[in-house]
Amino acid sequence: MFALEMVEKVRQVSPGAANALTTLAVKNIVPLAAAMGYRVDEVTDARVKATVPLNRKTKNHVGSVYLGAQVTVMELTMGVMLFRRFPPSQYKLLVNRMEVVFHAKAKSAVSAVCEPSEEVLAGLASALKAKGDKAEAWIPVQLLGTDGQRVAEARFLAVFKRG
């Protein structure tokens, strides 16, 4: 049984425990996530939400969340979303391009929310089947402060290759 399949079985019994397991997996795969305090808060078929605190390790010289931490939480959250649909045992994922627009200073912890449309995800799956081994899609992610204010929005060009 693959690790992701085990997490999904745990999710049926306890979504909180499954989120904790997902957080541990991300921190194991990307050690920077552990240093930043990355935490998975919510995972569904349609949405993934994860948070990074504002603390000594994530704060910049003006007292807000460092740009690198903001981009990293968005990219990791997008990865959690995509690996649910396209397991790493079958696909290799790389980000080929990224675009970010910043709207406000991140004066608190920030939460990345990845909610790609079903059309985008279905199109990616369809392209992988039609082309056989490679497909790409732009995946949007929002970054919100604890007050719900939109801090930034990004989109990542996710490129998948089969196995």
Side-chain angles (χ1 to χ4, degrees):
M1 181 181 296
F2 293 111
L4 289 175
E5 291 171 338
M6 276 191 342
V7 170
E8 290 313 309
K9 287 193 181 290
V10 170
R11 187 170 310 288
Q12 294 170 6
V13 177
S14 172
N19 291 346
L21 286 173
T22 304
T23 298
L24 287 173
V26 170
K27 289 178 175 182
N28 188 48
I29 295 165
V30 182
L32 177 62
M36 291 176 20
Y38 181 84
R39 183 186 75 234
V40 175
D41 300 316
E42 177 186 349
V43 178
T44 69
D45 287 340
R47 171 184 162 103
V48 173
K49 178 183 175 192
T51 302
V52 167
L54 174 64
N55 62 26
R56 184 183 64 77
K57 291 182 179 183
T58 62
K59 193 184 302 183
N60 63 20
H61 65 289
V62 295
S64 61
V65 177
Y66 173 64
L67 167 83
Q70 292 180 47
V71 172
T72 301
V73 68
M74 288 189 285
E75 191 244 351
L76 290 173
T77 303
M78 181 232 18
V80 170
M81 168 56 80
L82 293 178
F83 281 138
R84 277 181 59 81
R85 294 282 185 112
F86 306 97
S89 60
Q90 298 172 28
Y91 302 97
K92 303 301 177 216
L93 164 65
L94 288 174
V95 173
N96 199 12
R97 181 182 252 174
M98 138 185 121
E99 297 174 357
V100 183
V101 177
F102 295 95
H103 299 286
K105 191 175 178 181
K107 298 182 240 177
S108 66
V110 290
S111 295
V113 178
C114 183
E115 296 179 284
S117 70
E118 186 56 41
E119 294 79 26
V120 167
L121 296 172
L124 191 52
S126 183
L128 279 166
K129 287 179 186 170
K131 295 179 184 175
D133 67 342
K134 186 177 179 183
E136 62 185 31
W138 284 100
I139 308 298
V141 183
Q142 296 285 318
L143 190 68
L144 307 171
T146 54
D147 60 359
Q149 180 182 23
R150 186 173 58 165
V151 173
E153 55 191 338
R155 65 183 201 144
F156 297 88
L157 183 59
V159 178
F160 281 94
K161 289 187 178 181
R162 219 173 251 291

